[in-house]
Amino acid sequence: MILQQWISDLLEEARHHRDVARRHPEDKFESGIAFAYYDILTRSKNAAIRLDFDPKTVGLEIDLDREFLP
């Protein structure tokens, strides 16, 4: 499914930018990118729930707050 691959790619990029931002907390640009990915993923998960679509089917069953927020 294309949506699953897209979400998987977003999660991979989000984790990369989160890790870079954690290694370099002074880099506000990098932390901004990480937060933007978090925002997109959170909005996607919330939209799925609102539309009665199980987020687990596209790989969004994770706790995004715990994984991406400091």
Side-chain angles (χ1 to χ4, degrees):
M1 176 187 238
I2 291 172
L3 184 57
Q4 288 171 321
Q5 185 60 52
W6 181 68
I7 295 293
S8 176
D9 291 348
L10 282 175
L11 282 167
E12 184 177 332
E13 285 295 315
R15 288 175 176 135
H16 166 75
H17 290 286
R18 174 206 60 201
D19 294 345
V20 172
R22 286 181 179 169
R23 284 193 306 272
H24 304 283
E26 73 284 354
D27 188 344
K28 300 302 180 193
F29 180 76
E30 196 63 45
S31 63
I33 293 172
F35 187 79
Y37 274 107
Y38 161 79
D39 187 52
I40 290 167
L41 289 164
T42 300
R43 289 172 185 266
S44 298
K45 183 175 184 175
N46 290 338
I49 293 167
R50 247 187 350 270
L51 296 170
D52 203 28
F53 187 74
D54 185 4
K56 187 176 184 177
T57 61
V58 291
L60 284 174
E61 71 277 3
I62 62 174
D63 183 342
L64 294 168
D65 291 349
R66 183 177 304 207
E67 184 159 347
F68 292 103
L69 294 181

